[in-house]
Amino acid sequence: MKTAGVLVAIALALALQTSLARFVVGGTAALDLVLVVVVYVALTTGPVTGMLAGSIAGIIQDALSSGTVGIGGLAKAIVGFAAGVIGQQFIVTAAFPRFVMFVAATIVHAALFMGMYVVLGLKEFPSPWAAVLSQALANAAVGIIAFAIIESLPGAIERRKYRRSKR
Amino acid sequence: MAVIDIRRRTGYLFLAVIVGHVILISTQVTTKRGVPMLEAVVFGVFSEVQRGANGMTMGVRGTWQDYFALRQVRTENEQLKQELGELRVRLQEERNLAQQSQALQKLLDLKASTTLTTTGAGVIAGGASPEFRTITIDKGTREGLRTDMAVIAPAGVVGRVIQPNTRAAKIQLLIDRNAAAGALIERTRAQGVVVGTGADELRMDYVAGTADVKVGDVVVTSGIDGIYPKGFVIGQIQSVSRGGGQYSAIVVRPAVDFTSLEAVLIVLAPPPAGGDSGGLAATGGKAGADQDRE
């Protein structure tokens, strides 16, 4: 059930990501919804699921973006694994630690992703810091909102049920 | 259950995923030389494995060749020695055949040069006793051989048939102590009788002490014995001495090397009494003809 949920989340993220492609700024996507899903999965379920989710989602994203298949998958797998380990070792339930986690995950992902492209001589990324930072902030914001929505969702349903029963 | 086990081994799983991605990336990325990175990496890694395997193989092979295979080398060495021995024997046989061929060629030349009816024969045995200087040839009565037929060789007179069998014949050599032949000295035409001594030399008897005889004179058959055709070389005078009587004591060195006879010619048709043989050699034949004219 959990696996199916992860796969659905990835699929939805990819669908949204591709539909939001027009918001690309300076050659770098302003938002990486797939990465947000991967970090979320890693923080909520652990390193293995995070890694596998990152791997699958990254490979699909690579395939869809006509890049070198595997580089995004590798970067996301590492990030998912690391986020999962950190999520297990530290308490990351408050908004700020989650914000930091999303920012850090985005920066590490960008470093790995761009680093591998540069090392392999496949692509150059001149002055990517501004774009990476903006993406990190955007991802963190979306991630925090996603956490808040998903965590408040069961309580809202319960409250709604309760109100209907009082009427 | 298995999934749970894998999930518990997080480190291994993480490593497997990383390696999987690296392989996936490597299949698509090429090196600066245009070779796919996966191919380059696999080749680079595997070449080291190959190098190691080759080194190990060569080491084992070297050890095997240097030590264990020596047993095989020893066997091979013995086999080669045996082959070498066989080849040496074969070489000697070939050399022998070549020499025989030369001897037969000379005999063939002799046969062609003489007008006598002859047949060739090979020597198959020597004398059974040193007291009797005989040889055995491979032709007998079946080929028309009869007693007292003359036996000659390219170098000169050999002897006569004394015991013909169906397929072989015994030849009395001229050096046998019971052998004798009518002879004359080619240069002076002085006649006598050459007799065997049982040794490797001949004696010429009944040559007058007044006859002109010198060392080195050639002695040929005279043909008067009815056995040996006239004009065939017997040998050269080795020494001459005045005997006590009216005859000279003359020692003749045979022209034929009786120790190395391999093939001979047998004169089938007896020569006419006192007639010329038609010439064995230029010297002998001419000598005979000259005597006829005289």
Side-chain angles (χ1 to χ4, degrees), chain B residues 51-74:
Chain B
R51 191 195 304 276
N54 183 53
M56 196 181 296
T57 307
M58 293 302 287
V60 171
R61 189 178 172 186
T63 307
W64 178 264
Q65 284 182 339
D66 290 346
Y67 297 100
F68 297 104
L70 285 178
R71 288 177 59 194
Q72 190 181 346
V73 169
R74 185 187 294 170

Side-chain angles (χ1 to χ4, degrees), chain A residues 49 51 55 69-70 73-74 81, chain B residues 7 10 13-14 18 21 25 28:
Chain A
T49 312
M51 176 182 66
S55 176
V69 178
L74 180 60
F81 184 81
Chain B
R7 288 167 71 93
T10 310
L13 193 61
F14 178 69
I18 299 298
H21 279 88
I25 295 164
Q28 304 160 78

Side-chain angles (χ1 to χ4, degrees), chain B:
Chain B
M1 193 68 183
V3 175
I4 292 168
D5 288 340
I6 290 170
R7 288 167 71 93
R8 282 178 181 172
R9 297 174 188 272
T10 310
Y12 293 116
L13 193 61
F14 178 69
L15 194 65
V17 170
I18 299 298
V19 170
H21 279 88
V22 169
I23 292 171
L24 184 64
I25 295 164
S26 301
T27 57
Q28 304 160 78
V29 179
T30 56
T31 61
K32 289 176 181 175
R33 286 177 294 177
V35 181
M37 190 164 281
L38 180 65
E39 196 177 318
V41 171
V42 169
F43 178 72
V45 172
F46 200 68
S47 64
E48 292 305 316
V49 174
Q50 285 176 321
R51 191 195 304 276
N54 183 53
M56 196 181 296
T57 307
M58 293 302 287
V60 171
R61 189 178 172 186
T63 307
W64 178 264
Q65 284 182 339
D66 290 346
Y67 297 100
F68 297 104
L70 285 178
R71 288 177 59 194
Q72 190 181 346
V73 169
R74 185 187 294 170
T75 309
E76 194 178 337
N77 190 27
E78 287 173 3
Q79 191 179 349
L80 287 172
K81 278 182 179 175
Q82 190 178 347
E83 280 182 19
L84 181 64
E86 288 173 1
L87 286 173
R88 279 179 174 164
V89 170
R90 194 177 297 171
L91 179 64
Q92 288 177 6
E93 285 175 354
E94 296 290 337
R95 193 177 290 167
N96 185 33
L97 281 174
Q99 288 173 347
Q100 272 187 341
S101 176
Q102 280 184 334
L104 288 172
Q105 182 62 45
K106 285 180 184 174
L107 208 63
L108 199 63
D109 292 343
L110 169 62
K111 191 174 181 180
S113 65
T114 181
T115 57
L116 297 168
T117 307
T118 58
T119 183
V123 178
I124 57 173
S129 166
E131 299 300 321
F132 301 94
R133 306 300 298 266
T134 59
I135 57 172
T136 305
I137 60 172
D138 60 358
K139 292 215 172 148
T141 53
R142 198 169 61 177
E143 285 81 20
L145 267 65
R146 294 193 308 274
T147 307
D148 284 340
M149 282 183 169
V151 180
I152 56 176
V157 177
V158 173
R160 66 186 178 102
V161 178
I162 57 171
Q163 190 179 340
N165 207 331
T166 310
R167 298 175 57 194
K170 187 180 286 183
I171 309 298
Q172 182 190 56
L173 300 177
L174 199 57
I175 53 175
D176 185 83
R177 66 177 70 249
N178 296 320
L184 58 82
I185 296 168
E186 185 188 35
R187 183 176 62 85
T188 62
R189 320 308 293 175
Q191 295 202 19
V193 176
V194 168
V195 296
T197 60
D200 290 333
E201 58 185 24
L202 301 166
R203 196 178 70 240
M204 190 170 181
D205 293 341
Y206 309 116
V207 177
T210 56
D212 181 12
V213 181
K214 288 181 182 175
V215 173
D217 280 347
V218 176
V219 179
V220 297
T221 53
S222 64
I224 60 170
D225 49 35
I227 296 173
Y228 299 104
K230 187 178 180 180
F232 281 83
V233 176
I234 293 174
Q236 277 188 314
I237 293 176
Q238 190 173 332
S239 66
V240 182
S241 59
R242 294 291 172 190
Q246 56 183 337
Y247 302 113
S248 297
I250 300 170
V251 176
V252 178
R253 189 177 69 247
V256 174
D257 182 6
F258 295 99
T259 60
S260 62
L261 274 176
E262 291 177 349
V264 293
L265 280 180
I266 297 96
V267 181
L268 296 173
D276 193 0
S277 65
L280 164 65
T283 312
K286 190 171 180 284
D290 289 345
Q291 193 186 34
D292 281 350
R293 280 196 296 274
E294 286 169 1

Side-chain angles (χ1 to χ4, degrees), chain A residues 88-159:
Chain A
Q88 282 183 339
Q89 299 296 321
F90 303 97
I91 300 169
V92 196
T93 52
F96 184 71
R98 284 175 177 169
F99 184 84
V100 172
M101 273 299 301
F102 277 108
V103 171
T106 305
I107 293 171
V108 170
H109 174 265
L112 289 169
F113 186 84
M114 295 177 187
M116 278 187 279
Y117 267 105
V118 171
V119 167
L120 295 172
L122 299 171
K123 198 173 179 182
E124 293 295 326
F125 295 92
S127 305
W129 304 111
V132 170
L133 194 60
S134 63
Q135 189 191 73
L137 293 172
N139 284 348
V142 172
I144 293 297
I145 294 167
F147 260 111
I149 292 171
I150 293 168
E151 282 176 352
S152 63
L153 204 58
I157 293 169
E158 286 297 323
R159 282 195 296 274

